[in-house]
Coordinates of all heavy atoms in Angstrom, one line a residue:
K54 N -2.7 11.1 -6.6 CA -2.3 12.4 -6.2 C -0.9 12.6 -6.7 O 0.0 11.8 -6.5 CB -2.4 12.5 -4.7 CG -2.2 13.9 -4.2 CD -2.4 13.9 -2.7 CE -2.2 15.3 -2.1 NZ -2.4 15.4 -0.7
N55 N -0.7 13.8 -7.4 CA 0.6 14.0 -7.9 C 1.6 14.5 -6.9 O 1.3 15.2 -6.0 CB 0.6 15.1 -9.0 CG 0.0 14.6 -10.3 OD1 0.1 13.5 -10.6 ND2 -0.5 15.5 -11.1
I56 N 2.9 14.0 -7.0 CA 3.9 14.5 -6.2 C 4.2 16.0 -6.7 O 4.3 16.2 -7.9 CB 5.2 13.6 -6.3 CG1 4.9 12.2 -6.0 CG2 6.3 14.2 -5.5 CD1 6.0 11.2 -6.4
I57 N 4.5 16.9 -5.8 CA 4.7 18.3 -6.2 C 5.9 18.9 -5.4 O 6.3 18.3 -4.4 CB 3.4 19.2 -6.0 CG1 3.0 19.1 -4.5 CG2 2.3 18.7 -6.9 CD1 1.9 20.1 -4.2
G58 N 6.3 20.1 -5.8 CA 7.3 20.8 -5.1 C 8.6 20.1 -5.0 O 9.1 19.5 -5.9
D59 N 9.3 20.3 -3.8 CA 10.6 19.7 -3.6 C 10.6 18.2 -3.6 O 11.6 17.6 -4.1 CB 11.1 20.2 -2.2 CG 11.5 21.7 -2.2 OD1 11.7 22.3 -3.3 OD2 11.6 22.2 -1.1
A60 N 9.5 17.6 -3.2 CA 9.4 16.1 -3.3 C 9.5 15.7 -4.7 O 10.1 14.7 -5.1 CB 8.1 15.7 -2.6
W61 N 8.8 16.5 -5.7 CA 8.9 16.1 -7.1 C 10.3 16.3 -7.6 O 10.8 15.4 -8.4 CB 7.9 17.0 -7.9 CG 7.9 16.6 -9.3 CD1 8.3 17.4 -10.4 CD2 7.5 15.4 -9.9 NE1 8.1 16.8 -11.6 CE2 7.7 15.5 -11.3 CE3 7.1 14.2 -9.4 CZ2 7.4 14.5 -12.2 CZ3 6.8 13.1 -10.3 CH2 7.0 13.3 -11.7
I62 N 11.0 17.4 -7.3 CA 12.3 17.6 -7.7 C 13.2 16.4 -7.2 O 14.0 15.9 -8.0 CB 12.9 18.9 -7.2 CG1 12.0 20.1 -7.8 CG2 14.3 19.1 -7.6 CD1 11.9 20.2 -9.3
D63 N 13.1 16.0 -6.0 CA 13.9 14.9 -5.4 C 13.6 13.6 -6.2 O 14.5 12.8 -6.5 CB 13.6 14.8 -3.9 CG 14.1 15.9 -3.1 OD1 15.0 16.7 -3.6 OD2 13.7 16.0 -1.9
F64 N 12.3 13.4 -6.5 CA 11.9 12.2 -7.2 C 12.5 12.2 -8.6 O 13.1 11.2 -9.1 CB 10.4 12.1 -7.3 CG 9.9 10.8 -7.9 CD1 10.1 9.6 -7.2 CD2 9.2 10.8 -9.1 CE1 9.6 8.4 -7.8 CE2 8.7 9.6 -9.7 CZ 8.9 8.4 -9.0
L65 N 12.5 13.3 -9.3 CA 13.1 13.4 -10.6 C 14.6 13.2 -10.6 O 15.1 12.4 -11.4 CB 12.8 14.8 -11.2 CG 11.4 15.1 -11.7 CD1 11.3 16.6 -12.2 CD2 11.0 14.2 -12.9
K66 N 15.3 13.7 -9.6 CA 16.7 13.5 -9.4 C 17.0 12.0 -9.2 O 17.9 11.5 -9.7 CB 17.3 14.3 -8.3 CG 17.4 15.8 -8.6 CD 17.9 16.5 -7.3 CE 17.9 18.0 -7.6 NZ 18.3 18.8 -6.4
S67 N 16.1 11.4 -8.4 CA 16.3 9.9 -8.1 C 16.1 9.1 -9.4 O 16.9 8.2 -9.7 CB 15.3 9.5 -7.1 OG 15.3 8.1 -6.9
V68 N 15.1 9.4 -10.2 CA 14.9 8.7 -11.4 C 16.0 9.0 -12.4 O 16.5 8.1 -13.1 CB 13.5 9.1 -12.1 CG1 13.4 8.5 -13.5 CG2 12.4 8.6 -11.2
Q69 N 16.5 10.2 -12.4 CA 17.6 10.6 -13.3 C 18.9 9.8 -13.0 O 19.6 9.4 -13.9 CB 17.8 12.1 -13.3 CG 18.6 12.6 -14.4 CD 18.5 14.1 -14.5 OE1 18.5 14.8 -13.5 NE2 18.6 14.7 -15.7
T70 N 19.2 9.7 -11.7 CA 20.4 9.0 -11.3 C 20.3 7.5 -11.2 O 21.3 6.8 -11.6 CB 20.9 9.6 -10.0 OG1 20.0 9.4 -9.0 CG2 21.3 11.1 -10.1
S71 N 19.2 7.0 -10.8 CA 19.0 5.6 -10.5 C 18.1 4.9 -11.5 O 18.1 3.6 -11.5 CB 18.5 5.3 -9.1 OG 19.3 5.9 -8.2
G72 N 17.4 5.6 -12.3 CA 16.5 5.0 -13.3 C 15.2 4.6 -12.5 O 15.0 4.9 -11.4
I73 N 14.4 3.8 -13.2 CA 13.2 3.3 -12.7 C 13.5 2.0 -12.0 O 13.8 1.0 -12.6 CB 12.1 3.1 -13.7 CG1 11.7 4.4 -14.4 CG2 10.8 2.4 -13.1 CD1 11.1 5.4 -13.5
V74 N 13.5 2.0 -10.6 CA 13.9 0.8 -9.9 C 12.8 -0.2 -9.9 O 13.1 -1.4 -10.0 CB 14.3 1.3 -8.4 CG1 14.6 0.1 -7.6 CG2 15.5 2.2 -8.5
D75 N 11.6 0.2 -9.7 CA 10.4 -0.7 -9.7 C 9.6 -0.5 -10.9 O 9.0 0.6 -11.1 CB 9.6 -0.3 -8.4 CG 8.5 -1.3 -8.2 OD1 8.5 -2.4 -8.7 OD2 7.5 -0.9 -7.5
P76 N 9.6 -1.4 -11.9 CA 8.8 -1.3 -13.1 C 7.4 -1.0 -12.9 O 6.8 -1.4 -11.9 CB 9.0 -2.6 -13.8 CG 10.2 -3.2 -13.2 CD 10.3 -2.7 -11.8
I77 N 6.8 -0.3 -13.8 CA 5.3 0.0 -13.7 C 4.6 -1.2 -14.0 O 5.1 -2.2 -14.6 CB 4.9 1.2 -14.6 CG1 5.0 0.9 -16.0 CG2 5.8 2.5 -14.2 CD1 4.4 1.9 -17.0
L78 N 3.3 -1.2 -13.7 CA 2.4 -2.3 -14.1 C 1.4 -1.8 -15.1 O 0.7 -0.7 -14.8 CB 1.6 -2.9 -12.9 CG 0.6 -3.9 -13.1 CD1 1.2 -5.2 -13.7 CD2 -0.2 -4.3 -11.8
I79 N 1.3 -2.4 -16.2 CA 0.3 -2.1 -17.3 C -0.6 -3.3 -17.6 O -0.1 -4.4 -17.5 CB 0.9 -1.4 -18.5 CG1 1.8 -2.4 -19.2 CG2 1.7 -0.2 -18.2 CD1 2.3 -1.9 -20.6
S80 N -1.7 -3.0 -18.2 CA -2.6 -4.0 -18.7 C -2.2 -4.4 -20.1 O -1.4 -3.7 -20.7 CB -4.1 -3.6 -18.7 OG -4.3 -2.7 -19.7
Q81 N -2.7 -5.5 -20.6 CA -2.4 -5.9 -22.0 C -2.9 -4.8 -23.0 O -2.5 -4.8 -24.1 CB -3.1 -7.2 -22.3 CG -4.6 -7.2 -22.4 CD -5.3 -7.5 -21.1 OE1 -4.7 -7.4 -20.0 NE2 -6.5 -8.0 -21.2
D82 N -3.8 -3.9 -22.5 CA -4.3 -2.8 -23.4 C -3.5 -1.5 -23.2 O -3.9 -0.4 -23.6 CB -5.7 -2.5 -23.1 CG -6.6 -3.8 -23.3 OD1 -6.4 -4.5 -24.2 OD2 -7.5 -4.0 -22.4
N83 N -2.3 -1.6 -22.5 CA -1.4 -0.5 -22.2 C -2.0 0.5 -21.3 O -1.7 1.7 -21.4 CB -0.9 0.2 -23.5 CG 0.0 -0.7 -24.3 OD1 0.8 -1.5 -23.7 ND2 -0.1 -0.7 -25.6
I84 N -2.9 0.1 -20.4 CA -3.4 1.0 -19.4 C -2.5 0.9 -18.2 O -2.2 -0.2 -17.7 CB -4.9 0.6 -19.0 CG1 -5.8 0.8 -20.3 CG2 -5.4 1.4 -17.9 CD1 -7.2 0.2 -20.1
I85 N -2.1 2.1 -17.7 CA -1.2 2.1 -16.5 C -2.1 1.7 -15.3 O -3.0 2.4 -14.9 CB -0.6 3.4 -16.3 CG1 0.3 3.8 -17.5 CG2 0.3 3.4 -15.0 CD1 0.8 5.2 -17.5
I86 N -1.7 0.7 -14.6 CA -2.3 0.2 -13.4 C -1.6 0.8 -12.2 O -2.2 1.3 -11.2 CB -2.4 -1.3 -13.3 CG1 -3.0 -2.0 -14.5 CG2 -3.1 -1.8 -12.0 CD1 -4.4 -1.6 -14.8
S87 N -0.3 0.7 -12.2 CA 0.5 1.2 -11.1 C 1.8 1.8 -11.7 O 2.5 1.2 -12.5 CB 0.9 0.1 -10.2 OG 1.8 0.5 -9.2
G88 N 2.1 3.1 -11.2 CA 3.3 3.7 -11.7 C 3.1 5.0 -12.4 O 4.0 5.5 -13.1
H89 N 2.0 5.7 -12.2 CA 1.7 6.9 -12.9 C 2.7 8.0 -12.6 O 3.1 8.7 -13.6 CB 0.3 7.4 -12.5 CG -0.8 6.5 -12.9 ND1 -1.2 5.5 -12.1 CD2 -1.6 6.6 -14.0 CE1 -2.2 4.8 -12.7 NE2 -2.5 5.5 -13.9
Q90 N 3.2 8.1 -11.4 CA 4.2 9.1 -11.1 C 5.6 8.8 -11.8 O 6.3 9.7 -12.2 CB 4.4 9.3 -9.6 CG 3.2 9.7 -8.9 CD 2.6 11.1 -9.4 OE1 3.3 12.1 -9.4 NE2 1.4 11.1 -9.8
R91 N 5.9 7.5 -11.9 CA 7.1 7.1 -12.6 C 7.0 7.5 -14.0 O 8.0 8.0 -14.6 CB 7.4 5.6 -12.3 CG 7.9 5.3 -10.9 CD 7.8 3.9 -10.6 NE 6.5 3.5 -10.2 CZ 6.0 2.3 -10.0 NH1 6.8 1.3 -10.3 NH2 4.8 2.1 -9.6
V92 N 5.9 7.2 -14.6 CA 5.7 7.6 -16.1 C 5.8 9.1 -16.2 O 6.4 9.6 -17.2 CB 4.4 7.0 -16.6 CG1 4.0 7.6 -18.0 CG2 4.4 5.5 -16.6
R93 N 5.2 9.8 -15.3 CA 5.2 11.3 -15.4 C 6.7 11.8 -15.3 O 7.1 12.7 -16.1 CB 4.4 11.9 -14.3 CG 4.2 13.4 -14.4 CD 3.2 13.9 -13.4 NE 3.6 13.9 -12.1 CZ 3.8 15.0 -11.3 NH1 3.7 16.2 -11.8 NH2 4.2 14.9 -10.1
A94 N 7.4 11.2 -14.4 CA 8.8 11.6 -14.3 C 9.6 11.3 -15.6 O 10.4 12.1 -16.0 CB 9.5 10.8 -13.1
C95 N 9.4 10.1 -16.2 CA 10.1 9.7 -17.4 C 9.7 10.7 -18.5 O 10.6 11.1 -19.3 CB 9.7 8.3 -17.8 SG 10.5 7.1 -16.7
R96 N 8.5 11.2 -18.5 CA 8.1 12.2 -19.6 C 8.8 13.5 -19.3 O 9.3 14.1 -20.2 CB 6.6 12.4 -19.5 CG 5.8 11.3 -20.2 CD 4.3 11.6 -20.2 NE 3.6 10.5 -20.8 CZ 2.5 10.0 -20.3 NH1 1.9 10.6 -19.3 NH2 1.8 9.0 -20.9
D97 N 8.8 13.9 -18.1 CA 9.5 15.2 -17.7 C 11.0 15.1 -18.0 O 11.6 16.1 -18.4 CB 9.3 15.5 -16.3 CG 7.9 16.1 -16.0 OD1 7.1 16.2 -16.9 OD2 7.7 16.5 -14.8
L98 N 11.6 13.9 -17.9 CA 13.0 13.7 -18.1 C 13.3 13.3 -19.6 O 14.4 13.1 -19.9 CB 13.6 12.7 -17.2 CG 13.6 13.1 -15.7 CD1 13.9 11.9 -14.8 CD2 14.5 14.2 -15.4
D99 N 12.3 13.3 -20.4 CA 12.4 13.0 -21.8 C 12.9 11.6 -22.1 O 13.7 11.4 -23.0 CB 13.2 14.1 -22.6 CG 12.9 14.0 -24.1 OD1 11.8 13.7 -24.5 OD2 13.8 14.4 -24.9
M100 N 12.6 10.7 -21.2 CA 13.0 9.3 -21.3 C 12.0 8.6 -22.3 O 10.8 8.8 -22.2 CB 13.0 8.6 -20.0 CG 14.1 9.2 -19.0 SD 13.9 8.5 -17.3 CE 14.5 6.8 -17.5
K101 N 12.5 7.9 -23.2 CA 11.7 7.3 -24.3 C 11.1 6.0 -23.9 O 10.1 5.5 -24.5 CB 12.5 7.1 -25.6 CG 13.2 8.4 -26.1 CD 12.1 9.4 -26.4 CE 12.8 10.7 -27.0 NZ 12.0 11.8 -26.8
T102 N 11.6 5.2 -22.9 CA 11.1 4.0 -22.5 C 10.9 3.9 -21.0 O 11.7 4.6 -20.2 CB 12.0 2.8 -22.9 OG1 13.3 2.9 -22.4 CG2 12.1 2.7 -24.5
V103 N 10.0 3.1 -20.5 CA 9.7 2.9 -19.1 C 9.7 1.4 -18.9 O 8.9 0.7 -19.5 CB 8.4 3.6 -18.7 CG1 8.2 3.4 -17.2 CG2 8.4 5.0 -19.0
P104 N 10.5 0.9 -18.0 CA 10.4 -0.6 -17.7 C 9.0 -0.9 -17.1 O 8.5 -0.1 -16.3 CB 11.5 -0.9 -16.7 CG 12.0 0.5 -16.3 CD 11.5 1.5 -17.2
C105 N 8.4 -2.0 -17.6 CA 7.1 -2.4 -17.1 C 6.9 -3.9 -17.1 O 7.6 -4.6 -17.7 CB 6.1 -1.7 -18.0 SG 6.0 -2.4 -19.7
Y106 N 5.9 -4.2 -16.3 CA 5.4 -5.6 -16.3 C 4.0 -5.5 -17.0 O 3.3 -4.5 -16.7 CB 5.1 -6.1 -14.9 CG 6.4 -6.4 -14.1 CD1 6.7 -5.6 -13.0 CD2 7.3 -7.3 -14.5 CE1 7.8 -5.8 -12.2 CE2 8.5 -7.6 -13.8 CZ 8.7 -6.8 -12.6 OH 9.9 -7.1 -11.9
I107 N 3.7 -6.4 -17.8 CA 2.4 -6.5 -18.4 C 1.6 -7.6 -17.8 O 2.0 -8.7 -17.7 CB 2.5 -6.7 -20.0 CG1 3.3 -5.6 -20.6 CG2 1.1 -6.8 -20.6 CD1 3.7 -5.8 -22.1
K108 N 0.4 -7.2 -17.3 CA -0.5 -8.2 -16.7 C -1.7 -8.4 -17.5 O -2.3 -7.4 -17.9 CB -0.9 -7.8 -15.3 CG -1.7 -8.8 -14.5 CD -2.0 -8.4 -13.1 CE -2.8 -9.4 -12.4 NZ -3.0 -9.0 -10.9
K109 N -2.0 -9.6 -17.9 CA -3.2 -9.9 -18.7 C -4.4 -10.0 -17.8 O -4.5 -10.9 -16.9 CB -3.0 -11.1 -19.5 CG -4.1 -11.4 -20.5 CD -3.8 -12.6 -21.4 CE -4.9 -12.7 -22.4 NZ -4.7 -13.8 -23.3
Y110 N -5.4 -9.2 -18.0 CA -6.6 -9.2 -17.3 C -7.7 -9.8 -18.2 O -7.9 -9.4 -19.3 CB -7.0 -7.8 -16.8 CG -6.1 -7.1 -15.8 CD1 -5.0 -6.4 -16.2 CD2 -6.3 -7.3 -14.5 CE1 -4.2 -5.8 -15.3 CE2 -5.5 -6.7 -13.5 CZ -4.4 -6.0 -13.9 OH -3.6 -5.4 -13.0
I111 N -8.5 -10.7 -17.6 CA -9.5 -11.3 -18.4 C -10.8 -11.4 -17.5 O -10.7 -11.6 -16.3 CB -9.2 -12.7 -18.9 CG1 -8.7 -13.7 -17.8 CG2 -8.1 -12.6 -20.0 CD1 -8.6 -15.1 -18.2
N112 N -11.9 -11.3 -18.1 CA -13.2 -11.4 -17.4 C -13.3 -12.9 -16.9 O -12.9 -13.8 -17.6 CB -14.4 -11.1 -18.3 CG -14.4 -9.7 -18.7 OD1 -14.2 -8.8 -17.9 ND2 -14.8 -9.4 -19.9
N113 N -13.9 -13.0 -15.7 CA -14.2 -14.4 -15.2 C -15.5 -14.3 -14.5 O -16.2 -13.3 -14.5 CB -13.0 -14.9 -14.3 CG -12.9 -14.1 -13.0 OD1 -13.8 -13.8 -12.4 ND2 -11.6 -13.9 -12.7
A114 N -15.9 -15.5 -14.0 CA -17.3 -15.6 -13.4 C -17.4 -14.7 -12.2 O -18.5 -14.3 -11.9 CB -17.6 -17.0 -13.1
N115 N -16.3 -14.4 -11.5 CA -16.4 -13.6 -10.3 C -16.2 -12.1 -10.4 O -16.7 -11.4 -9.6 CB -15.4 -14.2 -9.3 CG -15.6 -15.6 -8.9 OD1 -16.8 -16.0 -8.8 ND2 -14.6 -16.4 -8.8
C116 N -15.5 -11.7 -11.5 CA -15.1 -10.3 -11.6 C -14.8 -10.0 -13.0 O -14.2 -10.8 -13.8 CB -13.9 -10.2 -10.7 SG -13.5 -8.5 -10.2
S117 N -15.1 -8.7 -13.4 CA -14.8 -8.2 -14.7 C -13.3 -7.8 -14.7 O -12.7 -7.6 -13.7 CB -15.7 -7.0 -15.1 OG -15.3 -5.9 -14.4
K118 N -12.8 -7.8 -15.9 CA -11.3 -7.4 -16.0 C -11.2 -5.9 -15.5 O -10.2 -5.6 -14.9 CB -10.8 -7.6 -17.4 CG -11.2 -6.6 -18.5 CD -10.5 -6.9 -19.8 CE -10.8 -5.7 -20.8 NZ -10.0 -5.9 -22.0
E119 N -12.2 -5.1 -15.7 CA -12.1 -3.7 -15.3 C -12.0 -3.6 -13.7 O -11.3 -2.9 -13.2 CB -13.2 -2.9 -15.8 CG -13.2 -2.6 -17.3 CD -13.7 -3.7 -18.2 OE1 -14.2 -4.7 -17.6 OE2 -13.5 -3.7 -19.4
D120 N -12.9 -4.5 -13.1 CA -12.9 -4.5 -11.6 C -11.5 -5.0 -11.1 O -11.0 -4.6 -10.1 CB -14.0 -5.4 -11.1 CG -15.3 -4.8 -11.2 OD1 -15.4 -3.5 -11.3 OD2 -16.4 -5.5 -11.0
M121 N -10.9 -6.0 -11.8 CA -9.6 -6.5 -11.4 C -8.5 -5.5 -11.5 O -7.7 -5.3 -10.7 CB -9.3 -7.8 -12.2 CG -10.1 -9.0 -11.8 SD -9.6 -10.5 -12.7 CE -10.6 -10.3 -14.1
M122 N -8.6 -4.7 -12.6 CA -7.6 -3.6 -12.8 C -7.8 -2.6 -11.8 O -6.8 -2.1 -11.2 CB -7.8 -3.0 -14.2 CG -7.4 -4.0 -15.3 SD -8.0 -3.5 -17.0 CE -7.4 -1.9 -17.2
L123 N -9.0 -2.2 -11.4 CA -9.3 -1.2 -10.4 C -8.8 -1.7 -9.0 O -8.2 -1.0 -8.3 CB -10.8 -0.9 -10.4 CG -11.2 0.2 -9.4 CD1 -10.4 1.5 -9.6 CD2 -12.7 0.5 -9.4
R124 N -9.0 -3.0 -8.8 CA -8.6 -3.5 -7.5 C -7.1 -3.4 -7.4 O -6.5 -3.0 -6.4 CB -9.0 -5.0 -7.4 CG -8.5 -5.7 -6.1 CD -8.5 -7.2 -6.2 NE -7.6 -7.6 -7.3 CZ -7.7 -8.7 -8.0 NH1 -8.7 -9.5 -7.8 NH2 -6.9 -9.0 -8.9
D125 N -6.3 -3.8 -8.4 CA -4.9 -3.7 -8.4 C -4.4 -2.3 -8.3 O -3.4 -2.0 -7.5 CB -4.3 -4.3 -9.7 CG -4.3 -5.9 -9.7 OD1 -4.7 -6.4 -8.6 OD2 -4.0 -6.5 -10.7
C126 N -5.1 -1.3 -8.9 CA -4.7 0.1 -8.8 C -4.9 0.6 -7.4 O -4.1 1.2 -6.8 CB -5.5 0.9 -9.8 SG -5.2 2.6 -9.8
L127 N -6.1 0.2 -6.8 CA -6.4 0.7 -5.4 C -5.4 0.0 -4.4 O -4.9 0.7 -3.5 CB -7.8 0.3 -5.1 CG -8.9 1.1 -5.7 CD1 -10.3 0.5 -5.5 CD2 -8.9 2.5 -5.3
T128 N -5.1 -1.3 -4.6 CA -4.2 -1.9 -3.7 C -2.8 -1.3 -3.8 O -2.2 -1.1 -2.7 CB -4.1 -3.4 -4.1 OG1 -5.4 -4.0 -4.0 CG2 -3.2 -4.2 -3.1
S129 N -2.4 -1.0 -5.0 CA -1.1 -0.3 -5.1 C -1.1 1.0 -4.4 O -0.1 1.4 -3.7 CB -0.8 -0.1 -6.6 OG 0.4 0.7 -6.8
N130 N -2.1 1.8 -4.6 CA -2.2 3.1 -3.9 C -2.3 3.0 -2.4 O -1.8 3.9 -1.7 CB -3.3 4.0 -4.6 CG -2.8 4.6 -5.9 OD1 -1.9 5.4 -5.9 ND2 -3.4 4.1 -7.0
L131 N -3.1 2.1 -2.0 CA -3.3 1.9 -0.5 C -1.9 1.6 0.2 O -1.6 2.1 1.2 CB -4.3 0.8 -0.2 CG -5.7 1.2 -0.5 CD1 -6.6 -0.1 -0.3 CD2 -6.2 2.3 0.5
K132 N -1.1 0.8 -0.5 CA 0.2 0.4 0.1 C 1.0 1.7 0.2 O 1.8 1.8 1.2 CB 0.9 -0.6 -0.8 CG 0.3 -1.9 -0.7 CD 1.1 -2.9 -1.7 CE 0.4 -4.2 -1.7 NZ 1.1 -5.1 -2.7
L133 N 0.9 2.6 -0.7 CA 1.7 3.8 -0.6 C 1.2 4.9 0.3 O 1.9 5.7 0.9 CB 1.9 4.4 -2.0 CG 2.7 3.6 -3.1 CD1 2.5 4.3 -4.4 CD2 4.1 3.5 -2.6
H134 N -0.1 5.0 0.3 CA -0.7 6.2 0.9 C -1.6 6.0 2.2 O -2.0 7.0 2.8 CB -1.6 7.0 -0.1 CG -0.8 7.4 -1.3 ND1 0.2 8.3 -1.3 CD2 -0.8 6.9 -2.6 CE1 0.7 8.5 -2.5 NE2 0.1 7.6 -3.3
S135 N -1.8 4.8 2.5 CA -2.7 4.5 3.7 C -1.9 4.5 5.0 O -0.9 3.8 5.1 CB -3.4 3.2 3.5 OG -4.2 2.9 4.6
D136 N -2.3 5.2 6.0 CA -1.7 5.2 7.3 C -2.1 3.9 8.0 O -1.3 3.4 8.9 CB -2.2 6.4 8.1 CG -1.6 7.7 7.6 OD1 -0.6 7.7 7.0 OD2 -2.3 8.7 7.9
D137 N -3.2 3.3 7.6 CA -3.6 2.0 8.2 C -4.0 1.1 7.1 O -5.2 0.9 6.9 CB -4.7 2.2 9.3 CG -4.8 1.0 10.2 OD1 -4.3 -0.1 9.8 OD2 -5.4 1.2 11.3
F138 N -3.0 0.5 6.5 CA -3.2 -0.4 5.4 C -4.2 -1.6 5.8 O -5.0 -1.9 5.0 CB -1.9 -1.0 4.9 CG -2.0 -1.9 3.7 CD1 -2.3 -1.4 2.5 CD2 -1.9 -3.3 3.9 CE1 -2.5 -2.3 1.4 CE2 -2.0 -4.2 2.9 CZ -2.3 -3.7 1.6
D139 N -4.0 -2.1 7.0 CA -4.9 -3.2 7.4 C -6.4 -2.9 7.3 O -7.2 -3.7 6.9 CB -4.5 -3.8 8.7 CG -3.1 -4.4 8.8 OD1 -2.7 -4.9 7.7 OD2 -2.5 -4.4 9.8
I140 N -6.7 -1.7 7.8 CA -8.1 -1.3 7.8 C -8.6 -1.2 6.4 O -9.7 -1.7 6.0 CB -8.3 0.0 8.6 CG1 -8.1 -0.2 10.1 CG2 -9.7 0.6 8.3 CD1 -8.1 1.1 10.9
A141 N -7.8 -0.5 5.5 CA -8.2 -0.4 4.1 C -8.3 -1.8 3.4 O -9.3 -2.0 2.7 CB -7.2 0.5 3.4
W142 N -7.3 -2.6 3.7 CA -7.3 -4.0 3.1 C -8.6 -4.7 3.5 O -9.2 -5.4 2.6 CB -6.1 -4.7 3.5 CG -5.9 -6.0 2.8 CD1 -6.1 -7.2 3.4 CD2 -5.4 -6.2 1.5 NE1 -5.8 -8.2 2.4 CE2 -5.3 -7.6 1.3 CE3 -4.9 -5.4 0.5 CZ2 -4.9 -8.2 0.1 CZ3 -4.5 -6.0 -0.7 CH2 -4.5 -7.3 -0.9
N143 N -8.9 -4.7 4.7 CA -10.1 -5.4 5.2 C -11.4 -4.8 4.6 O -12.3 -5.6 4.3 CB -10.2 -5.3 6.8 CG -9.2 -6.2 7.4 OD1 -8.7 -7.2 6.8 ND2 -8.8 -5.9 8.6
G144 N -11.4 -3.5 4.4 CA -12.6 -2.9 3.7 C -12.7 -3.4 2.3 O -13.8 -3.7 1.8
L145 N -11.6 -3.6 1.6 CA -11.6 -4.2 0.2 C -12.2 -5.6 0.3 O -12.9 -6.0 -0.6 CB -10.3 -4.1 -0.4 CG -9.8 -2.8 -0.9 CD1 -8.3 -2.9 -1.3 CD2 -10.6 -2.2 -2.0
K146 N -11.7 -6.4 1.3 CA -12.2 -7.8 1.4 C -13.7 -7.8 1.7 O -14.4 -8.6 1.1 CB -11.4 -8.4 2.6 CG -10.1 -8.9 2.3 CD -9.5 -9.7 3.5 CE -8.1 -10.2 3.2 NZ -7.5 -10.9 4.3
E147 N -14.1 -6.9 2.6 CA -15.6 -6.9 2.9 C -16.4 -6.7 1.7 O -17.6 -7.2 1.6 CB -15.9 -5.9 3.9 CG -15.4 -6.2 5.3 CD -15.6 -5.1 6.3 OE1 -16.4 -4.2 6.1 OE2 -14.9 -5.1 7.4
H148 N -15.9 -5.9 0.7 CA -16.7 -5.6 -0.5 C -16.4 -6.6 -1.6 O -16.9 -6.5 -2.7 CB -16.4 -4.2 -1.0 CG -17.0 -3.2 -0.1 ND1 -16.4 -2.7 1.0 CD2 -18.2 -2.5 -0.1 CE1 -17.2 -1.8 1.6 NE2 -18.3 -1.7 0.9
G149 N -15.6 -7.6 -1.3 CA -15.4 -8.7 -2.3 C -14.4 -8.3 -3.4 O -14.4 -9.0 -4.4
W150 N -13.6 -7.3 -3.1 CA -12.7 -6.8 -4.2 C -11.4 -7.7 -4.2 O -10.7 -7.6 -5.2 CB -12.4 -5.4 -4.0 CG -13.5 -4.5 -4.4 CD1 -14.8 -4.5 -3.9 CD2 -13.5 -3.5 -5.4 NE1 -15.6 -3.6 -4.5 CE2 -14.8 -3.0 -5.5 CE3 -12.6 -3.1 -6.3 CZ2 -15.2 -2.0 -6.4 CZ3 -12.9 -2.1 -7.2 CH2 -14.2 -1.6 -7.3
I151 N -11.1 -8.3 -3.1 CA -9.9 -9.1 -3.0 C -10.3 -10.4 -2.3 O -11.3 -10.6 -1.7 CB -8.8 -8.4 -2.3 CG1 -9.2 -8.0 -0.9 CG2 -8.2 -7.3 -3.2 CD1 -8.0 -7.5 -0.1

């Protein structure tokens, strides 16, 4: 969900004055896993680089790399947007995602 309105303006001001405090997470294929709003802010501010961590995802016997990427994306968003993180976290566990 995109940040909008005054919250977006405040976020842009924060990035402009403090930079990207928490680097984004991308896959080895340059797919953004976590940090979509930070990347959007950098684009709006015409910043040419975004600090990032690169995580290598590989298929294994238990999970495909796509499932692992989705799990990390969902976990990141749940931490930010869930009113009851524990309930959501347990739901992910029940489905074998974590």
Side-chain angles (χ1 to χ4, degrees):
K54 187 174 182 180
N55 282 337
I56 304 169
I57 58 172
D59 289 340
W61 180 245
I62 299 301
D63 291 342
F64 186 68
L65 286 175
K66 287 178 185 176
S67 172
V68 170
Q69 195 167 35
T70 58
S71 301
I73 300 295
V74 176
D75 187 22
I77 68 166
L78 175 63
I79 64 171
S80 72
Q81 70 269 22
D82 303 320
N83 292 323
I84 296 170
I85 301 170
I86 307 299
S87 174
H89 295 84
Q90 298 302 304
R91 287 168 275 169
V92 170
R93 186 169 74 111
C95 289
R96 285 185 182 136
D97 282 3
L98 295 169
D99 201 30
M100 297 171 70
K101 302 299 182 204
T102 60
V103 180
C105 66
Y106 292 115
I107 301 171
K108 183 172 179 179
K109 187 173 183 179
Y110 293 91
I111 56 172
N112 293 320
N113 64 44
N115 298 320
C116 200
S117 72
K118 74 177 190 175
E119 290 80 10
D120 283 346
M121 288 184 273
M122 291 165 53
L123 182 57
R124 179 201 59 209
D125 285 354
C126 183
L127 289 171
T128 302
S129 171
N130 280 294
L131 285 171
K132 287 178 186 176
L133 293 173
H134 302 292
S135 178
D136 291 333
D137 197 341
F138 179 75
D139 292 332
I140 291 172
W142 186 259
N143 289 333
L145 288 173
K146 279 185 179 178
E147 287 176 20
H148 287 87
W150 285 61
I151 54 171

